[in-house]
Each structure stands twice: as structure tokens, then as C-alpha cells.
Amino acid sequence: MLVTGTSGSGKTQLAARIATVLEVPHVEIDALFHGPAWSPRPSFEQDVHRFSNEPAWVTEWQYSSVRAHLAERADLMIWLDLPRHLVMRQVANRTLTRRLRREPLWNGNIEPPLRTFFTDSEHIVRWAWRTHRKTAERVAHLLDQNPSFIVVRLRSHDEADAWLSGPLRHSRRQGL
């Protein structure tokens, strides 16, 4: 299963919650991608192919080099389609908190200094602003290519909570 949404929308947290309900592995794709010093890990694509050959898993639909492969292997996509103002508040708060706490992320990386918001065009907050609409474009393209692919679009955290505790939990009980 795939979870998609803008950077900072909460897709990793949602993916982890889905994996818990379904009792399947959650593979955090950022952890596979980012090596030390924020460098791409050479084994990234190989690692993605390895876990996606398993019968059940949940991950985030990111990184152009593996997006098509993941869509071929998945049976369902959850699209966390939150309003831009909410995503921006979340990604800014998350980035600030991680930086101030110097929270270790993947392979020992930490958020860069806050001033890089002004100097780095790829800063995660700027990235989230610039790419907010791209998720909709990617989902539309996927559905153009495969009209029968199932996408569940959730437009708020309340909708996500309701879906997790309702349809998803019910499907788990039914063994679907």
C-alpha cells in the first residue's frame, strides 16, 4: 500500500498507523533513500525492489526513480490531500522542532540550520510550498495510466482518522 501527499502532510505518520492496523511492515522510504550527509544511498532502488516484492507492506510514494515501480506493486494508494496552509504549518513546525532538538533523522542526519531556509532553494519548507500541487498531478497521471487503480483521497486528519477506524479496520477484520 502507498501513502502519498505533499512533504510535511503527515504521510509517514499515516503510513505507520496503517501498517499497525493491518499488521504489516511500514518501510519508511526516506530511511532507505538518505545516507550520511544527506547523500542518496547507492542501494536505494535495490532496497525498494526487495521490500516491494514482499506480499504486504506500506510505504510513502516518493522519489521519481521508484514511483512507477511502487505503483505497479501496490494495490491501493491513500492520498493525504491537505490544504496548503495546513501542510505549511505542519512542515514548518516539524522542521523547527527537529532542528531545535537536533533530532537525529536517517543515518545520523539532522535538519540543517534554520538560516538555510533563505539560502537553499531545496529547503524542505520551500520544497513543500513549491511542490504542493504536484501530488495531484502525479495521482492524475497514475489514474490516466491505470484507471482501475484504487486511490482513497483523504482531505483532513479527521477524515484519515475516520478511515483508519472505519473502513480500514473493518477490512482487516474481514480479512480483505
Side-chain angles (χ1 to χ4, degrees):
M1 182 181 302
L2 296 171
V3 179
T4 193
T6 304
S7 294
S9 63
K11 61 188 170 298
T12 300
Q13 290 179 345
L14 181 58
R17 292 174 67 198
I18 291 168
T20 298
V21 170
L22 296 179
E23 298 176 359
V24 301
H26 167 230
V27 178
E28 188 176 357
I29 204 160
D30 279 333
L32 295 182
F33 183 81
H34 294 292
W38 295 105
S39 60
R41 290 180 59 250
S43 63
F44 171 65
E45 289 183 36
Q46 196 176 3
D47 293 340
V48 169
H49 285 258
R50 186 177 303 113
F51 86 73
S52 64
N53 282 328
E54 295 298 319
W57 44 267
V58 181
T59 196
E60 303 81 21
W61 196 47
Q62 301 177 170
Y63 302 106
S64 58
S65 63
V66 294
R67 239 185 236 120
H69 171 76
L70 288 170
E72 288 172 12
R73 301 290 304 152
D75 55 4
L76 177 68
M77 177 182 288
I78 307 308
W79 176 13
L80 192 53
D81 185 22
L82 302 181
R84 184 186 296 232
H85 69 89
L86 179 56
V87 169
M88 296 312 300
R89 186 177 75 222
Q90 290 177 178
V91 74
N93 286 340
R94 179 188 78 184
T95 301
L96 181 62
T97 300
R98 284 177 173 175
R99 178 59 192 174
L100 293 176
R101 292 181 181 165
R102 299 204 185 272
E103 227 173 88
L105 300 171
W106 316 280
N107 292 300
N109 294 304
I110 60 170
E111 292 285 351
L114 296 176
R115 70 178 176 279
T116 60
F117 171 81
F118 300 103
T119 60
D120 181 1
S121 64
E122 299 296 306
H123 187 280
I124 190 65
V125 175
R126 292 174 71 177
W127 174 265
W129 178 268
R130 190 173 62 251
T131 62
H132 185 266
R133 74 181 194 300
K134 291 189 186 259
T135 301
E137 294 169 3
R138 285 186 193 111
V139 172
H141 179 72
L142 174 64
L143 292 173
D144 284 346
Q145 300 297 311
N146 185 355
S148 63
F149 195 84
I150 300 170
V151 176
V152 176
R153 187 177 187 180
L154 305 171
R155 295 177 186 248
S156 70
H157 291 299
D158 286 345
E159 281 187 15
D161 291 343
W163 181 78
L164 281 164
S165 63
L168 185 65
R169 196 164 300 282
H170 178 73
S171 71
R172 174 73 181 140
R173 282 195 300 264
Q174 299 300 315
L176 301 176

